[in-house]
Structure formats: C-alpha cells, structure tokens
Amino acid sequence: MRLAVLDAGSNSVHLLISEVVGGVPLPAHSLKDPVHLAEHVARDGTVPPKAAQRLAAAVAQAREQADRWRCDRLFAYATAVVRDAANRDEVLETVRAASGMRLAVLPGEVEAELTFRAARRWIGLQAGPMALLDIGGGSLEVAFGRGALPDFAFSLPLGAGRLTREFLPGKGRPGREALRELRRYVRATLKDVAARVRWEEPHTVVATSRMFQQLARLCGAAPGRDGPFVTRRLARTDLKEAVRRLSALTAAERAQLPGISAARCRQAPAGAVVAHQAMKSMGIDEVTICPWALREGVLLRHLEQGGQDWWPNPVARYGDIEAGGAPGNGAAPRVPRRLPLAPESVR
C-alpha cells in the first residue's frame, strides 16, 4: 500500500509519500515547496490573494506528484495559519479551484493527538508517562499520556511564525523590550497547561517539529545526514544560551548558524523563546527529539484504526486523483514500488 500526506503548513507545502511495510509507513518520496505563507498574513489575519494563489499552486504540484506515484490514499490538510485565517473559506476555495484538492482543516487538539500518536509509536511504551511538545508556525501543541494515546491534548497560539509577526517583526536584532514582552506573553499563555504537565510528572518529554530539530542541531545534536535513528536531545540550559545567541544576530547572520535554515532564520528567536519557556514552566530539563510528527500520525491513525469517518473531508484515492481533472491527470509514468528516502539534512 502506498499512502500520501499533503501538509499545507505555515512555511511550506510538504508532500510525504510512504510505503506501508508491516503496518509501518516507510518514507518513499518527499516534495517540499517553501511558500512562507505565515510571512504574508496581514494584520487583520487575512491571507492575501497572491499568497493564497501561491499556496494553491504548491498544492497542485504536490497533487500531481501523488498522481504520478499512484498513491492509494492521499490525506491533505492545512495547519494553523489557514485554520486561523480570517478569510479561511476563501483560501480553501482558491486551493480547491486551482488544484481540485479540498484541504481538511484539523482542530489544533486533533493535531496534538495525532502527533502524540506518532511520537509514542517512535519512542515506545517503555518511555513511561510521556509529554509532547510541538512548535509549528501558528501554534504550539502540548499533549500527555501514559499509553498509545494522550490523556489530554492542547493547542496554544504560540507558533514561531505567529509570534515573530506580533512581537519580533523585521530582519534585524530583536530589541530587549520586545523579547521581554514576548516572554511575558508566552509564560501567561502557558500557565495553566504547564501546571497540568508539571502535576503529571512525565518520565519522558518528546519534542517534534522542524523548529525543535533545528534548535537541537544548533545546541550540538547530530546533523540530519546521520539518519533518523541517532539519539538527539536538547537540554534547557543549552536552549537558554541559544535564545541569547539567536537574539544577538540579524536574520541573515542566524542563517549561517548550524541547523538554522534560511526559511526559519527570522522565526528562530521566537521559536527558541517558546521552547525555553515551555520547558522552564513545565519543569523539564531535557527533551528527546523525535523525527515523526503530525504527518506520520495521520498515516498511523489510518493504518491502526481504519475507516475514514474521522477525517473531515473525503480522502482522495488513486483513481480519484488520476481522473479528477486537476493537474497531473495524464498518463502516470512507471515509478518503482519502493524507493528509499535519504534523511533530510539539518546542517
């Protein structure tokens, strides 16, 4: 079986195609288009027409790839930037008209539950009671559970892109007062959820998302080229120093640091502040970096429990994709049934 997930996020549109072997989704092909949607959101919360059209073009390209690979199922969704947009319906219709794809809009708590599912599967039950942190462009997902599924899951408006727009705009060095205001806001927003996590006293804390991966690399974790099975951890003490280091540089200077990509160099200070404040407020000294997150969680939910009644929109099948009249509905080339995907490197 070949399954695909199309993730329309705040920074990029990411298509992940997986071969299912023994009930496990193994990566076969990946396509990423950096649309930087979060950077174009207006002050009133709307996504401008040109940005929506850029998103639609990227979704159309991703759908074409899923067509070419003859995927049995394609799960397509948009995350917080589209979910919270003041003109969400117009953005979704722009995407549908250009690509033929109806993007699902998942509630933040569902994103947190699916991400926890993936992280737990990767880490294993031997990790004991587990907390999850995931920093996206528009939101921070937090979950805790003792088993395969979380006992509770929350989504907070603490995404790195959102906070950069609101507190640290521009490409220069953030001002001290702006950083203080950002810390105060993050602490206040985290207060109740952090107290709940502290009370649960998790044995293991797992962090997912590109932001955490890049912060871990900045703080000395192994690069992505070493593969997904290398243990990577991020200590709160190192993260505190990373906040200071990132805040002392311009965006262009941050992009030269180990792990910090050009696509996320503007968001890195805000992301580091959220990560550090979350760990501090929750009494967490160290997190383990997990390569599986929301995309893998969607696939695992489908594989483990079957059915599609839980998914907000109809799930595209290969025949639907091929005959849907959208880009990529021509004759698909022969593609090998299994193609290993090299790990995406983090410098």
Side-chain angles (χ1 to χ4, degrees):
M1 181 187 298
R2 181 174 287 164
L3 301 176
V5 174
L6 194 164
D7 181 327
S10 61
N11 290 297
S12 64
V13 170
H14 191 166
L15 175 72
L16 174 65
I17 297 175
S18 298
E19 297 279 5
V20 179
V21 180
V24 178
L26 301 178
H29 179 65
S30 180
L31 174 71
K32 183 181 287 189
D33 193 337
V35 296
H36 304 299
L37 190 63
E39 296 183 7
H40 300 288
V41 176
R43 285 186 174 273
D44 63 358
T46 60
V47 175
K50 286 187 178 180
Q53 292 163 8
R54 177 73 184 89
L55 172 66
V59 171
Q61 181 184 17
R63 176 173 180 168
E64 182 176 0
Q65 283 291 306
D67 179 359
R68 289 166 61 87
W69 277 77
R70 294 181 169 90
C71 297
D72 298 291
R73 299 286 190 279
L74 171 58
F75 295 87
Y77 60 85
T79 54
V81 171
V82 173
R83 181 176 68 231
D84 299 337
N87 59 335
R88 180 178 73 181
D89 292 345
E90 289 86 346
V91 173
L92 294 174
E93 176 56 27
T94 297
V95 172
R96 187 207 60 77
S99 68
M101 289 298 304
R102 295 183 182 274
L103 296 178
V105 180
L106 303 177
E109 292 74 16
V110 173
E111 289 189 15
E113 184 274 324
L114 293 169
T115 305
F116 182 95
R117 180 190 292 265
R120 173 60 91 181
R121 182 73 175 271
W122 182 273
I123 297 296
L125 291 174
Q126 78 275 8
M130 188 184 88
L132 167 83
L133 301 175
D134 184 297
I135 300 174
S139 60
L140 165 71
E141 273 64 60
V142 180
F144 170 86
R146 294 173 175 81
L149 300 178
D151 298 333
F152 62 80
F154 296 98
S155 182
L156 304 172
L158 296 176
R162 182 197 299 266
L163 297 182
T164 299
R165 291 195 309 273
E166 295 178 0
F167 291 91
L168 307 176
K171 300 181 180 180
R173 300 175 180 86
R176 291 184 178 181
E177 183 55 34
L179 286 168
R180 279 194 290 267
E181 289 181 8
L182 173 58
R183 290 192 188 95
R184 285 195 292 265
Y185 175 76
V186 173
R187 281 197 300 268
T189 306
L190 276 168
K191 183 179 177 181
D192 293 338
V193 173
R196 178 70 187 275
V197 172
R198 283 200 313 272
W199 186 82
E200 297 288 357
E201 297 183 344
H203 292 180
T204 302
V205 182
V206 175
T208 66
S209 75
R210 204 69 179 144
M211 179 57 68
F212 265 116
Q213 291 175 359
Q214 294 197 0
L215 292 173
R217 177 70 186 106
L218 175 64
C219 293
R225 62 177 174 270
D226 288 356
F229 299 109
V230 175
T231 300
R232 297 175 174 88
R233 295 189 174 90
L234 175 60
R236 193 173 86 202
T237 52
D238 293 335
L239 194 50
K240 181 178 180 180
E241 173 59 23
V243 172
R244 186 203 62 77
R245 186 179 181 188
L246 290 166
S247 302
L249 301 174
T250 65
E253 291 167 338
R254 291 176 218 131
Q256 304 304 311
L257 297 174
I260 305 301
S261 66
R264 286 178 170 79
C265 61
R266 288 186 59 197
Q267 301 178 15
V273 168
V274 172
H276 180 258
Q277 289 298 323
M279 292 175 69
K280 183 177 180 181
S281 299
M282 297 175 189
I284 298 167
D285 294 325
E286 183 180 77
V287 298
T288 298
I289 305 299
C290 175
W292 276 10
L294 177 56
R295 289 183 289 273
E296 290 78 10
V298 169
L299 298 181
L300 288 170
R301 170 62 176 78
H302 173 69
L303 292 170
E304 292 172 355
Q305 294 181 251
Q308 285 135 30
D309 57 330
W310 63 282
W311 190 254
N313 291 345
V315 178
R317 303 188 182 195
Y318 169 63
D320 301 329
I321 297 171
E322 187 179 36
N329 61 355
R334 292 186 62 83
V335 181
R337 288 302 296 175
R338 197 171 296 173
L339 179 65
L341 174 66
E344 186 178 359
S345 64
V346 178
R347 297 199 311 273

